Coordinates of all heavy atoms in Angstrom, one line a residue:
M179 N -9.3 -6.3 15.4 CA -8.4 -5.9 14.3 C -7.0 -6.2 14.7 O -6.5 -5.7 15.7 CB -8.7 -4.5 14.0 CG -7.8 -3.9 12.9 SD -7.9 -2.1 12.6 CE -9.5 -1.6 13.2
N180 N -6.2 -6.8 13.8 CA -4.8 -7.0 14.1 C -4.1 -5.8 13.6 O -4.1 -5.5 12.4 CB -4.3 -8.3 13.4 CG -4.9 -9.5 14.0 OD1 -5.3 -9.5 15.1 ND2 -5.1 -10.5 13.2
S181 N -3.3 -5.1 14.4 CA -2.6 -4.0 14.0 C -1.3 -4.5 13.3 O -0.8 -5.6 13.6 CB -2.3 -3.1 15.1 OG -1.5 -3.7 16.1
L182 N -0.8 -3.6 12.4 CA 0.4 -4.0 11.8 C 1.6 -4.0 12.7 O 1.8 -3.1 13.6 CB 0.7 -2.9 10.7 CG -0.3 -2.7 9.6 CD1 0.0 -1.5 8.8 CD2 -0.3 -3.9 8.7
P183 N 2.4 -5.1 12.7 CA 3.5 -5.2 13.7 C 4.5 -4.0 13.5 O 5.1 -3.6 14.5 CB 4.2 -6.5 13.3 CG 3.4 -7.2 12.3 CD 2.3 -6.2 11.8
E184 N 4.6 -3.4 12.3 CA 5.6 -2.3 12.1 C 5.2 -1.1 12.9 O 6.0 -0.2 13.2 CB 5.6 -2.0 10.7 CG 6.2 -3.1 9.8 CD 5.1 -4.0 9.3 OE1 3.9 -3.8 9.6 OE2 5.5 -5.0 8.7
L185 N 3.9 -1.0 13.4 CA 3.5 0.2 14.1 C 4.2 0.3 15.5 O 4.3 1.4 16.0 CB 1.9 0.1 14.3 CG 1.1 0.2 13.1 CD1 -0.4 0.1 13.5 CD2 1.3 1.5 12.4
R186 N 4.6 -0.8 16.0 CA 5.3 -0.7 17.3 C 6.5 0.1 17.3 O 6.9 0.6 18.3 CB 5.6 -2.2 17.8 CG 4.4 -3.0 18.1 CD 4.7 -4.3 18.6 NE 3.5 -5.1 18.6 CZ 3.4 -6.3 18.1 NH1 4.4 -6.8 17.5 NH2 2.3 -6.9 18.1
S187 N 7.2 0.2 16.1 CA 8.4 1.0 16.0 C 8.2 2.5 15.8 O 9.1 3.3 15.8 CB 9.3 0.4 14.9 OG 8.7 0.6 13.7
L188 N 6.9 2.9 15.5 CA 6.6 4.3 15.2 C 6.3 5.1 16.5 O 5.9 4.5 17.5 CB 5.3 4.3 14.4 CG 5.4 3.8 13.0 CD1 4.1 3.9 12.3 CD2 6.5 4.5 12.1
P189 N 6.5 6.4 16.4 CA 6.1 7.3 17.5 C 4.6 7.1 17.7 O 3.9 6.8 16.7 CB 6.4 8.7 17.1 CG 7.4 8.5 16.0 CD 7.2 7.2 15.4
P190 N 4.1 7.2 18.9 CA 2.7 7.0 19.2 C 1.7 7.8 18.3 O 0.7 7.2 17.8 CB 2.5 7.4 20.7 CG 3.9 7.2 21.3 CD 4.8 7.5 20.2
A191 N 2.0 9.0 18.0 CA 1.1 9.8 17.2 C 1.1 9.3 15.8 O 0.0 9.2 15.1 CB 1.6 11.3 17.1
S192 N 2.2 8.8 15.2 CA 2.2 8.2 13.9 C 1.5 6.9 13.8 O 0.7 6.6 12.9 CB 3.6 8.0 13.4 OG 4.3 9.3 13.3
A193 N 1.6 6.1 14.9 CA 0.9 4.8 15.0 C -0.6 5.0 15.0 O -1.3 4.3 14.4 CB 1.4 4.0 16.2
R194 N -1.0 6.0 15.8 CA -2.4 6.3 15.9 C -3.0 6.7 14.6 O -4.1 6.3 14.2 CB -2.7 7.4 17.0 CG -2.7 6.8 18.4 CD -3.2 7.9 19.4 NE -2.5 9.1 19.4 CZ -1.4 9.4 20.1 NH1 -0.9 8.4 20.9 NH2 -0.8 10.5 20.1
L195 N -2.3 7.6 13.8 CA -2.7 8.0 12.5 C -2.8 6.8 11.6 O -3.8 6.7 10.8 CB -1.7 9.0 11.9 CG -2.0 9.5 10.5 CD1 -3.4 10.2 10.4 CD2 -0.9 10.4 10.0
C196 N -1.8 5.9 11.6 CA -1.9 4.7 10.7 C -3.1 3.9 11.0 O -3.8 3.4 10.2 CB -0.6 3.9 10.8 SG 0.8 4.7 10.0
L197 N -3.4 3.7 12.3 CA -4.5 2.9 12.7 C -5.8 3.5 12.3 O -6.8 2.9 12.0 CB -4.5 2.6 14.2 CG -3.4 1.6 14.7 CD1 -3.3 1.6 16.2 CD2 -3.7 0.3 14.2
A198 N -5.9 4.9 12.4 CA -7.1 5.6 12.0 C -7.4 5.4 10.5 O -8.5 5.2 10.1 CB -7.0 7.1 12.4
V199 N -6.3 5.5 9.7 CA -6.5 5.3 8.3 C -6.9 3.9 8.0 O -7.8 3.6 7.2 CB -5.2 5.6 7.5 CG1 -5.2 5.2 6.1 CG2 -4.9 7.1 7.7
E200 N -6.3 2.9 8.7 CA -6.7 1.5 8.5 C -8.2 1.3 8.9 O -8.9 0.6 8.2 CB -5.8 0.6 9.4 CG -6.1 -0.9 9.2 CD -5.2 -1.8 10.1 OE1 -5.0 -1.4 11.2 OE2 -4.8 -2.8 9.6
R201 N -8.6 1.9 10.0 CA -10.0 1.7 10.4 C -10.9 2.3 9.4 O -12.0 1.7 9.0 CB -10.2 2.4 11.8 CG -9.9 1.5 12.9 CD -10.4 2.1 14.2 NE -9.9 3.4 14.5 CZ -8.8 3.7 15.1 NH1 -8.0 2.7 15.6 NH2 -8.4 4.9 15.4
F202 N -10.5 3.5 8.8 CA -11.4 4.1 7.8 C -11.5 3.2 6.6 O -12.6 2.9 6.1 CB -10.7 5.4 7.3 CG -11.4 6.0 6.1 CD1 -12.6 6.7 6.3 CD2 -10.9 5.8 4.9 CE1 -13.3 7.2 5.1 CE2 -11.5 6.3 3.7 CZ -12.7 7.0 3.9
C203 N -10.4 2.6 6.2 CA -10.4 1.7 5.0 C -11.2 0.5 5.3 O -12.0 0.1 4.4 CB -9.0 1.3 4.6 SG -8.0 2.6 3.9
L204 N -11.1 -0.1 6.4 CA -11.8 -1.3 6.7 C -13.3 -1.1 7.0 O -14.2 -1.9 6.5 CB -11.2 -2.0 8.0 CG -9.8 -2.6 7.8 CD1 -9.3 -3.0 9.1 CD2 -9.9 -3.7 6.8
R205 N -13.7 0.0 7.6 CA -15.1 0.2 8.0 C -15.9 1.1 7.0 O -17.1 0.8 6.8 CB -15.2 0.9 9.4 CG -14.6 0.0 10.4 CD -14.8 0.6 11.8 NE -14.2 -0.2 12.8 CZ -13.8 0.3 14.0 NH1 -14.0 1.5 14.3 NH2 -13.2 -0.5 14.9
R206 N -15.3 2.1 6.4 CA -16.0 3.0 5.7 C -15.9 2.9 4.2 O -16.7 3.5 3.4 CB -15.6 4.4 6.1 CG -15.6 4.7 7.5 CD -16.6 5.8 7.8 NE -16.7 5.9 9.3 CZ -17.1 7.0 9.8 NH1 -17.5 8.0 9.1 NH2 -17.2 7.1 11.1
L207 N -14.9 2.2 3.7 CA -14.7 2.1 2.3 C -15.5 0.9 1.8 O -15.0 -0.2 1.6 CB -13.2 1.9 2.0 CG -12.7 2.0 0.5 CD1 -13.1 3.4 0.0 CD2 -11.3 1.7 0.4
K208 N -16.7 1.1 1.6 CA -17.6 0.1 1.1 C -17.7 0.2 -0.4 O -18.3 1.2 -0.9 CB -19.0 0.2 1.8 CG -18.8 0.0 3.2 CD -20.2 0.0 3.9 CE -19.9 -0.1 5.3 NZ -20.4 -0.4 6.4
L209 N -17.2 -0.8 -1.1 CA -17.2 -0.8 -2.6 C -18.4 -1.6 -3.1 O -18.7 -2.7 -2.7 CB -15.9 -1.3 -3.1 CG -14.6 -0.6 -2.6 CD1 -13.4 -1.4 -3.0 CD2 -14.6 0.8 -3.1
P210 N -19.0 -1.0 -4.2 CA -20.0 -1.8 -4.8 C -19.4 -3.1 -5.4 O -18.3 -3.2 -5.7 CB -20.5 -0.9 -6.0 CG -20.1 0.5 -5.6 CD -18.8 0.3 -4.7
R211 N -20.2 -4.2 -5.5 CA -19.8 -5.4 -6.0 C -19.2 -5.3 -7.4 O -19.7 -4.6 -8.2 CB -20.9 -6.4 -6.0 CG -20.6 -7.8 -6.6 CD -21.7 -8.7 -6.3 NE -21.4 -9.3 -5.0 CZ -22.3 -9.9 -4.2 NH1 -23.5 -10.0 -4.6 NH2 -21.9 -10.4 -3.0
G212 N -18.0 -5.9 -7.6 CA -17.3 -5.8 -8.9 C -16.4 -4.6 -9.0 O -15.7 -4.5 -10.1
T213 N -16.4 -3.8 -8.0 CA -15.5 -2.6 -8.1 C -14.0 -3.0 -8.0 O -13.7 -3.8 -7.2 CB -15.8 -1.6 -7.0 OG1 -17.1 -1.1 -7.2 CG2 -14.9 -0.4 -7.0
R214 N -13.2 -2.4 -8.8 CA -11.7 -2.6 -8.8 C -11.1 -1.3 -8.5 O -11.6 -0.2 -8.9 CB -11.2 -3.1 -10.1 CG -12.0 -4.2 -10.8 CD -11.7 -5.6 -10.4 NE -10.2 -5.8 -10.5 CZ -9.6 -6.7 -9.7 NH1 -10.2 -7.4 -8.9 NH2 -8.3 -6.8 -9.8
L215 N -10.0 -1.3 -7.8 CA -9.2 -0.1 -7.4 C -7.8 -0.2 -8.1 O -7.2 -1.3 -8.1 CB -9.0 0.0 -5.9 CG -10.3 0.2 -5.1 CD1 -9.9 0.2 -3.6 CD2 -11.0 1.5 -5.5
V216 N -7.3 0.9 -8.5 CA -6.0 1.0 -9.0 C -5.2 2.1 -8.2 O -5.8 3.2 -8.0 CB -5.9 1.4 -10.5 CG1 -4.5 1.7 -11.0 CG2 -6.6 0.4 -11.4
L217 N -4.0 1.8 -7.8 CA -3.2 2.7 -7.0 C -1.9 2.9 -7.7 O -1.2 2.0 -8.1 CB -2.9 2.1 -5.6 CG -2.0 3.0 -4.7 CD1 -2.8 4.2 -4.2 CD2 -1.3 2.2 -3.7
A218 N -1.7 4.2 -8.0 CA -0.4 4.6 -8.6 C 0.7 4.6 -7.5 O 0.6 5.4 -6.6 CB -0.5 5.9 -9.3
L219 N 1.6 3.7 -7.6 CA 2.6 3.5 -6.5 C 3.9 4.2 -6.9 O 4.5 3.8 -7.9 CB 2.8 2.0 -6.3 CG 3.7 1.6 -5.2 CD1 3.2 2.0 -3.8 CD2 3.9 0.1 -5.2
S220 N 4.3 5.2 -6.2 CA 5.6 5.9 -6.5 C 6.8 5.2 -5.9 O 7.9 5.4 -6.3 CB 5.5 7.3 -6.0 OG 5.6 7.4 -4.5
G221 N 6.5 4.4 -4.9 CA 7.7 3.8 -4.2 C 8.0 4.6 -2.9 O 8.8 4.1 -2.1
G222 N 7.4 5.7 -2.7 CA 7.7 6.5 -1.5 C 6.9 6.0 -0.3 O 6.1 5.1 -0.5
V223 N 7.1 6.6 0.8 CA 6.5 6.1 2.0 C 4.9 6.3 1.9 O 4.2 5.3 2.3 CB 7.0 6.9 3.3 CG1 6.2 6.5 4.5 CG2 8.5 6.5 3.5
D224 N 4.5 7.4 1.5 CA 3.0 7.7 1.5 C 2.3 6.6 0.6 O 1.3 6.0 1.1 CB 2.7 9.1 1.0 CG 3.3 10.1 1.9 OD1 3.5 9.8 3.1 OD2 3.5 11.3 1.4
S225 N 2.7 6.5 -0.6 CA 2.0 5.5 -1.5 C 2.2 4.1 -1.1 O 1.3 3.3 -1.2 CB 2.3 5.7 -3.0 OG 3.7 5.4 -3.2
S226 N 3.3 3.8 -0.5 CA 3.5 2.4 0.0 C 2.6 2.1 1.2 O 2.1 1.0 1.2 CB 5.0 2.2 0.4 OG 5.8 2.4 -0.8
V227 N 2.5 3.0 2.1 CA 1.6 2.8 3.2 C 0.1 2.7 2.7 O -0.6 1.8 3.2 CB 1.8 3.9 4.3 CG1 0.7 3.8 5.3 CG2 3.1 3.8 5.0
A228 N -0.2 3.6 1.8 CA -1.6 3.5 1.3 C -1.8 2.2 0.6 O -2.9 1.6 0.8 CB -1.8 4.7 0.2
A229 N -0.8 1.7 -0.1 CA -1.0 0.4 -0.8 C -1.2 -0.7 0.3 O -2.0 -1.6 0.1 CB 0.2 0.1 -1.6
A230 N -0.4 -0.7 1.3 CA -0.5 -1.8 2.3 C -1.8 -1.7 3.0 O -2.5 -2.8 3.3 CB 0.6 -1.6 3.4
L231 N -2.3 -0.5 3.4 CA -3.6 -0.4 4.1 C -4.8 -0.7 3.2 O -5.7 -1.4 3.6 CB -3.8 1.0 4.6 CG -2.8 1.4 5.7 CD1 -3.0 2.9 6.1 CD2 -3.0 0.5 7.0
L232 N -4.7 -0.3 1.9 CA -5.8 -0.6 1.0 C -5.8 -2.1 0.7 O -6.9 -2.7 0.6 CB -5.7 0.1 -0.3 CG -6.2 1.6 -0.3 CD1 -5.8 2.3 -1.6 CD2 -7.7 1.6 -0.1
D233 N -4.7 -2.7 0.6 CA -4.6 -4.2 0.4 C -5.3 -4.9 1.5 O -6.0 -5.9 1.3 CB -3.2 -4.6 0.2 CG -3.1 -6.1 -0.1 OD1 -3.7 -6.6 -1.1 OD2 -2.4 -6.8 0.7
R234 N -5.0 -4.5 2.8 CA -5.7 -5.1 3.9 C -7.2 -4.9 3.9 O -7.9 -5.8 4.3 CB -5.1 -4.5 5.2 CG -3.7 -5.0 5.6 CD -3.2 -4.3 6.8 NE -4.0 -4.4 8.0 CZ -3.8 -5.3 9.0 NH1 -2.8 -6.1 8.9 NH2 -4.6 -5.3 10.0
A235 N -7.6 -3.8 3.4 CA -9.0 -3.5 3.4 C -9.8 -4.1 2.2 O -10.9 -4.6 2.4 CB -9.2 -2.0 3.3
V236 N -9.2 -4.2 1.0 CA -10.0 -4.6 -0.1 C -9.4 -5.8 -0.8 O -10.0 -6.4 -1.7 CB -10.2 -3.5 -1.1 CG1 -10.9 -2.3 -0.5 CG2 -8.9 -3.0 -1.8
G237 N -8.2 -6.2 -0.4 CA -7.6 -7.5 -0.9 C -7.4 -7.5 -2.4 O -6.8 -6.5 -3.0
D238 N -8.0 -8.5 -3.1 CA -7.7 -8.7 -4.5 C -8.4 -7.7 -5.4 O -8.3 -7.8 -6.6 CB -8.0 -10.1 -4.9 CG -9.5 -10.5 -4.8 OD1 -10.3 -9.6 -4.2 OD2 -9.9 -11.6 -5.2
K239 N -9.2 -6.8 -4.8 CA -9.8 -5.7 -5.6 C -8.8 -4.6 -6.0 O -9.1 -3.8 -6.9 CB -11.0 -5.1 -4.9 CG -12.1 -6.0 -4.7 CD -13.2 -5.3 -3.9 CE -14.3 -6.3 -3.6 NZ -15.4 -5.7 -2.9
L240 N -7.6 -4.6 -5.4 CA -6.6 -3.6 -5.6 C -5.5 -4.1 -6.5 O -5.0 -5.2 -6.4 CB -6.0 -3.2 -4.2 CG -4.8 -2.2 -4.3 CD1 -5.3 -0.9 -4.7 CD2 -4.1 -2.2 -2.9
T241 N -5.2 -3.2 -7.5 CA -4.0 -3.4 -8.3 C -3.1 -2.2 -8.1 O -3.5 -1.1 -8.3 CB -4.4 -3.5 -9.8 OG1 -5.3 -4.7 -9.9 CG2 -3.2 -3.7 -10.7
C242 N -1.8 -2.5 -7.8 CA -0.8 -1.4 -7.6 C 0.0 -1.3 -8.9 O 0.5 -2.4 -9.4 CB 0.1 -1.6 -6.4 SG -0.8 -1.6 -4.9
I243 N 0.2 -0.1 -9.4 CA 1.0 0.0 -10.6 C 2.1 1.0 -10.3 O 1.9 2.1 -9.8 CB 0.2 0.6 -11.8 CG1 -1.0 -0.3 -12.1 CG2 1.1 0.9 -13.0 CD1 -1.9 0.2 -13.2
F244 N 3.4 0.5 -10.5 CA 4.6 1.2 -10.2 C 5.3 1.5 -11.6 O 5.6 0.6 -12.3 CB 5.5 0.4 -9.3 CG 6.9 1.0 -9.2 CD1 7.1 2.2 -8.7 CD2 8.0 0.2 -9.6 CE1 8.4 2.7 -8.6 CE2 9.3 0.7 -9.6 CZ 9.5 2.0 -9.0
V245 N 5.4 2.8 -11.9 CA 6.1 3.2 -13.1 C 7.5 3.6 -12.8 O 7.7 4.6 -12.1 CB 5.3 4.3 -13.8 CG1 6.0 4.8 -15.1 CG2 3.9 3.9 -14.2
D246 N 8.4 2.8 -13.3 CA 9.8 3.1 -13.1 C 10.3 3.9 -14.2 O 10.5 3.5 -15.4 CB 10.7 1.8 -13.0 CG 12.1 2.0 -12.7 OD1 12.5 3.2 -12.7 OD2 12.8 1.0 -12.4
H247 N 10.4 5.2 -14.0 CA 10.6 6.2 -15.0 C 12.1 6.4 -15.3 O 12.5 7.2 -16.1 CB 10.0 7.6 -14.7 CG 10.2 7.9 -13.2 ND1 11.4 8.2 -12.7 CD2 9.3 8.1 -12.3 CE1 11.3 8.5 -11.4 NE2 10.0 8.4 -11.1
G248 N 13.0 5.7 -14.5 CA 14.4 5.8 -14.7 C 15.1 6.9 -14.0 O 16.3 7.1 -14.2
L249 N 14.4 7.7 -13.3 CA 15.0 8.9 -12.6 C 15.2 8.6 -11.1 O 15.6 9.5 -10.4 CB 14.1 10.1 -12.8 CG 13.8 10.5 -14.2 CD1 12.8 11.7 -14.2 CD2 15.1 10.9 -14.9
M250 N 15.0 7.4 -10.7 CA 15.3 7.0 -9.3 C 16.7 6.7 -9.1 O 17.5 6.5 -10.1 CB 14.4 5.9 -8.8 CG 12.9 6.2 -9.0 SD 11.8 4.8 -8.6 CE 11.7 4.9 -6.9
R251 N 17.1 6.5 -7.9 CA 18.5 6.0 -7.6 C 18.7 4.7 -8.2 O 17.8 3.9 -8.5 CB 18.7 6.0 -6.1 CG 18.7 7.3 -5.4 CD 19.0 7.1 -3.9 NE 18.5 8.3 -3.2 CZ 17.4 8.3 -2.5 NH1 16.7 7.3 -2.3 NH2 17.0 9.4 -1.9
K252 N 20.0 4.3 -8.4 CA 20.3 3.0 -9.0 C 19.7 1.9 -8.2 O 19.8 1.9 -7.0 CB 21.8 2.9 -9.0 CG 22.3 1.6 -9.8 CD 23.8 1.5 -9.9 CE 24.1 0.2 -10.6 NZ 25.5 0.1 -10.8
N253 N 19.0 1.0 -8.9 CA 18.4 -0.2 -8.3 C 17.2 0.1 -7.4 O 16.7 -0.8 -6.8 CB 19.4 -1.1 -7.5 CG 20.5 -1.6 -8.4 OD1 20.3 -1.9 -9.6 ND2 21.7 -1.6 -7.9
E254 N 16.8 1.4 -7.3 CA 15.7 1.7 -6.4 C 14.4 1.1 -6.9 O 13.5 0.7 -6.1 CB 15.6 3.2 -6.2 CG 14.7 3.6 -5.0 CD 14.8 5.1 -4.7 OE1 15.3 5.9 -5.5 OE2 14.3 5.4 -3.6
G255 N 14.2 1.1 -8.2 CA 13.0 0.4 -8.7 C 12.9 -1.1 -8.4 O 11.9 -1.6 -8.0
D256 N 14.1 -1.7 -8.4 CA 14.1 -3.1 -8.0 C 13.8 -3.3 -6.5 O 13.1 -4.2 -6.1 CB 15.5 -3.7 -8.2 CG 15.9 -3.8 -9.7 OD1 14.9 -3.8 -10.5 OD2 17.1 -3.7 -10.0
E257 N 14.2 -2.3 -5.7 CA 13.9 -2.4 -4.2 C 12.4 -2.2 -4.0 O 11.9 -2.9 -3.1 CB 14.7 -1.3 -3.5 CG 16.2 -1.5 -3.5 CD 17.0 -0.4 -2.9 OE1 16.4 0.5 -2.3 OE2 18.3 -0.4 -3.1
V258 N 11.8 -1.3 -4.7 CA 10.4 -1.1 -4.6 C 9.6 -2.4 -4.9 O 8.8 -2.9 -4.2 CB 9.9 0.1 -5.5 CG1 8.3 0.1 -5.5 CG2 10.5 1.4 -5.0
E259 N 10.0 -3.0 -6.0 CA 9.4 -4.2 -6.5 C 9.6 -5.3 -5.4 O 8.7 -6.1 -5.1 CB 9.9 -4.7 -7.8 CG 9.2 -5.8 -8.4 CD 9.6 -6.2 -9.8 OE1 10.6 -5.6 -10.3 OE2 8.9 -7.0 -10.5
A260 N 10.8 -5.4 -4.9 CA 11.1 -6.5 -3.9 C 10.3 -6.3 -2.6 O 9.9 -7.2 -2.0 CB 12.6 -6.5 -3.6
A261 N 10.1 -5.0 -2.3 CA 9.3 -4.7 -1.0 C 7.9 -5.2 -1.1 O 7.3 -5.6 -0.1 CB 9.3 -3.2 -0.8
F262 N 7.3 -5.3 -2.3 CA 6.0 -5.8 -2.5 C 5.9 -7.2 -2.9 O 4.8 -7.8 -3.0 CB 5.2 -4.9 -3.4 CG 4.9 -3.5 -2.8 CD1 5.8 -2.5 -2.9 CD2 3.8 -3.4 -2.0 CE1 5.5 -1.3 -2.3 CE2 3.5 -2.2 -1.4 CZ 4.4 -1.1 -1.5
A263 N 7.0 -7.8 -3.3 CA 7.0 -9.2 -3.7 C 6.6 -10.1 -2.5 O 7.0 -9.9 -1.4 CB 8.4 -9.6 -4.3
G264 N 5.9 -11.2 -2.8 CA 5.6 -12.2 -1.8 C 4.5 -11.8 -0.9 O 4.2 -12.5 0.1
R265 N 3.8 -10.6 -1.1 CA 2.7 -10.2 -0.2 C 1.4 -10.6 -0.8 O 0.3 -10.3 -0.2 CB 2.8 -8.7 0.0 CG 4.0 -8.3 0.8 CD 3.9 -6.8 1.0 NE 5.1 -6.4 1.8 CZ 5.0 -5.8 3.0 NH1 3.8 -5.6 3.5 NH2 6.1 -5.5 3.6
G266 N 1.4 -11.2 -2.0 CA 0.1 -11.6 -2.6 C -0.7 -10.4 -3.2 O -1.8 -10.6 -3.6
M267 N 0.0 -9.3 -3.3 CA -0.7 -8.1 -3.9 C -0.6 -8.2 -5.5 O 0.4 -8.8 -6.0 CB 0.0 -6.8 -3.5 CG -0.2 -6.5 -2.0 SD 0.8 -5.1 -1.5 CE -0.1 -3.8 -2.2
K268 N -1.5 -7.6 -6.1 CA -1.4 -7.5 -7.6 C -0.5 -6.2 -7.8 O -0.9 -5.1 -7.6 CB -2.8 -7.3 -8.2 CG -3.7 -8.5 -8.1 CD -5.0 -8.3 -8.8 CE -5.8 -9.5 -8.6 NZ -7.2 -9.3 -9.1
F269 N 0.7 -6.5 -8.3 CA 1.7 -5.5 -8.4 C 2.1 -5.5 -9.9 O 2.6 -6.6 -10.4 CB 2.8 -5.7 -7.5 CG 3.9 -4.7 -7.6 CD1 3.9 -3.6 -6.8 CD2 5.0 -4.9 -8.5 CE1 5.0 -2.7 -6.9 CE2 6.0 -4.0 -8.6 CZ 6.0 -2.8 -7.8
I270 N 2.1 -4.4 -10.6 CA 2.5 -4.3 -12.0 C 3.6 -3.3 -12.0 O 3.5 -2.1 -11.5 CB 1.4 -3.9 -12.9 CG1 0.3 -4.9 -12.9 CG2 1.9 -3.6 -14.3 CD1 -1.0 -4.5 -13.6
R271 N 4.8 -3.6 -12.6 CA 5.9 -2.7 -12.8 C 6.0 -2.4 -14.2 O 6.0 -3.3 -15.1 CB 7.2 -3.3 -12.3 CG 8.4 -2.4 -12.5 CD 9.6 -3.0 -12.0 NE 10.8 -2.1 -12.2 CZ 12.0 -2.4 -11.7 NH1 12.2 -3.5 -11.0 NH2 13.0 -1.6 -12.0
V272 N 6.0 -1.1 -14.5 CA 6.1 -0.6 -15.9 C 7.5 0.1 -16.0 O 7.7 1.1 -15.3 CB 5.0 0.3 -16.3 CG1 5.2 0.8 -17.7 CG2 3.6 -0.4 -16.1
N273 N 8.3 -0.3 -16.9 CA 9.6 0.3 -17.1 C 9.4 1.3 -18.2 O 9.2 0.9 -19.4 CB 10.7 -0.7 -17.4 CG 11.1 -1.5 -16.3 OD1 11.3 -1.0 -15.2 ND2 11.1 -2.8 -16.5
A274 N 9.4 2.6 -17.9 CA 9.2 3.6 -18.9 C 10.5 4.2 -19.5 O 11.5 4.2 -18.9 CB 8.3 4.8 -18.3

């Protein structure tokens, strides 16, 4: 298993937790054929890490939906979208 390069910059306990979650997603998340997943992406650290790990585990079965409700900091919605651009993920941005 190739670990995420970003893990090297984390404290050891945090890196171990990320790897454990990744292992769970890869080994234990067995989806029936044809199953699709939807992840509500807030743009925060928790949902962003969940999106990255799930994408590694299930690939094109995952669709991330980010609802820009207009209450974030200026341009923060654009930053969230840019962070996921170019990763090949199915990413939908909804401006509410």
Side-chain angles (χ1 to χ4, degrees):
M179 175 187 335
N180 294 331
S181 61
L182 298 169
E184 297 86 5
L185 293 179
R186 293 185 191 125
S187 64
L188 294 176
S192 298
R194 283 192 299 276
L195 176 61
C196 287
L197 288 171
V199 170
E200 182 181 41
R201 274 193 301 275
F202 172 80
C203 289
L204 291 171
R205 294 182 185 161
R206 306 242 177 160
L207 191 61
K208 297 187 186 205
L209 302 173
R211 180 167 272 161
T213 299
R214 313 272 312 152
L215 297 176
V216 174
L217 176 78
L219 183 63
S220 70
V223 173
D224 295 338
S225 66
S226 296
V227 169
L231 293 174
L232 279 172
D233 182 59
R234 286 175 58 99
V236 301
D238 64 355
K239 294 179 182 180
L240 175 68
T241 300
C242 295
I243 300 175
F244 169 62
V245 178
D246 187 349
H247 45 64
L249 300 175
M250 300 175 86
R251 294 182 201 103
K252 185 176 180 175
N253 299 323
E254 195 168 14
D256 296 333
E257 292 173 11
V258 171
E259 187 172 11
F262 288 92
R265 293 182 180 242
M267 295 173 70
K268 291 181 183 173
F269 180 91
I270 298 171
R271 179 179 178 173
V272 178
N273 292 311

